[in-house]
Amino acid sequence: MQIKEKLEVFRDFTLDVAKEQSSQLIAQYQEASQKELEEYRKNRQAEAEHRIQLEEQKIRRKLNSKVSGELLRQKHMLDECKRQWKDKLKKQVQLLLKEYQKTQEYQDFLKLKIQMAVEVAAGEPVIIYINPSDADKRAQLEQETGAKLTVSSIEFGGGIRAVIRSRNMLIDESFASRLEQEGIYL
């Protein structure tokens, strides 16, 4: 073999080795690049998902804040409506009570409650109070029931209150107490 041929064989051999090494290096580089690309994509996807979660939480907080604000506003409206309704009901009840207190039925009611208090006392001393607005009915009620009545210094909306001290007993047949039991305060 001549030098030319040897050089050509050497050149072909070196080119083949260089091509093979080059192919390996390119394959390694492509593999490394592919891994880096996949890792970059995963990181970008994770970052995007994290940003989406943060934005979603932010939107939920805003929404919850608005919902809470609206619920509070509606609760205030409802409370105001209830208050207005109670005021209207209270005025209506007071008006009806005043009308009722002008009737004979009310006079009969007072007599009945006074007689009941006397019966409960069973001969023991009893103090029977009538409402200050019923002071004009006192003489007639005392005559009809035979009981001594005291005009209360405290307004209790009508009816009677009686105290039997020997038994530490209060008989409360006042309209104010009955209405309070229903949630209406005079």
Side-chain angles (χ1 to χ4, degrees), residues 50-65:
H50 182 68
R51 274 192 305 247
I52 288 170
Q53 286 176 350
L54 289 176
E55 195 63 31
E56 187 178 305
Q57 288 174 353
K58 183 179 173 183
I59 290 169
R60 284 182 194 268
R61 279 194 299 272
K62 281 183 181 178
L63 182 63
N64 286 342
S65 175

Side-chain angles (χ1 to χ4, degrees), residues 5-145:
E5 288 177 348
K6 284 183 182 179
L7 277 175
E8 208 171 288
V9 169
F10 178 72
R11 187 179 70 89
D12 288 342
F13 176 74
T14 15
L15 283 176
D16 287 342
V17 168
K19 281 181 185 177
E20 189 178 310
Q21 284 181 349
S22 171
S23 294
Q24 286 178 353
L25 285 174
I26 289 172
Q28 287 175 354
Y29 177 76
Q30 283 178 337
E31 189 177 315
S33 294
Q34 191 65 31
K35 283 181 183 177
E36 280 182 30
L37 179 63
E38 282 301 314
E39 192 160 319
Y40 175 78
R41 284 182 181 161
K42 284 180 185 177
N43 287 342
R44 294 301 288 177
Q45 182 69 25
E47 286 175 16
E49 287 175 4
H50 182 68
R51 274 192 305 247
I52 288 170
Q53 286 176 350
L54 289 176
E55 195 63 31
E56 187 178 305
Q57 288 174 353
K58 183 179 173 183
I59 290 169
R60 284 182 194 268
R61 279 194 299 272
K62 281 183 181 178
L63 182 63
N64 286 342
S65 175
K66 285 184 179 183
V67 167
S68 295
E70 181 62 21
L71 284 174
L72 189 60
R73 187 186 70 77
Q74 288 180 2
K75 185 181 181 309
H76 286 307
M77 278 178 45
L78 181 63
D79 289 345
E80 180 61 22
C81 287
K82 282 181 181 179
R83 187 192 61 73
Q84 289 174 359
W85 180 82
K86 280 187 175 184
D87 288 346
K88 189 175 181 179
L89 180 63
K90 179 181 172 182
K91 287 177 184 173
Q92 187 69 26
V93 166
Q94 286 173 334
L95 181 67
L96 291 173
L97 273 177
K98 284 181 183 177
E99 291 298 316
Y100 175 65
Q101 288 173 338
K102 295 175 185 175
T103 67
Q104 182 60 40
E105 289 175 341
Y106 177 63
Q107 186 99 3
D108 294 341
F109 170 79
L110 289 176
K111 280 194 305 192
L112 181 69
K113 293 303 175 181
I114 292 167
Q115 290 168 349
M116 181 208 60
V118 170
E119 286 177 23
V120 170
E124 294 183 35
V126 60
I127 302 170
I128 301 172
Y129 294 97
I130 60 172
N131 200 52
S133 63
D134 296 330
D136 60 328
K137 299 174 182 75
R138 178 180 176 187
Q140 185 178 355
L141 287 170
E142 284 180 336
Q143 182 183 5
E144 291 176 357
T145 61

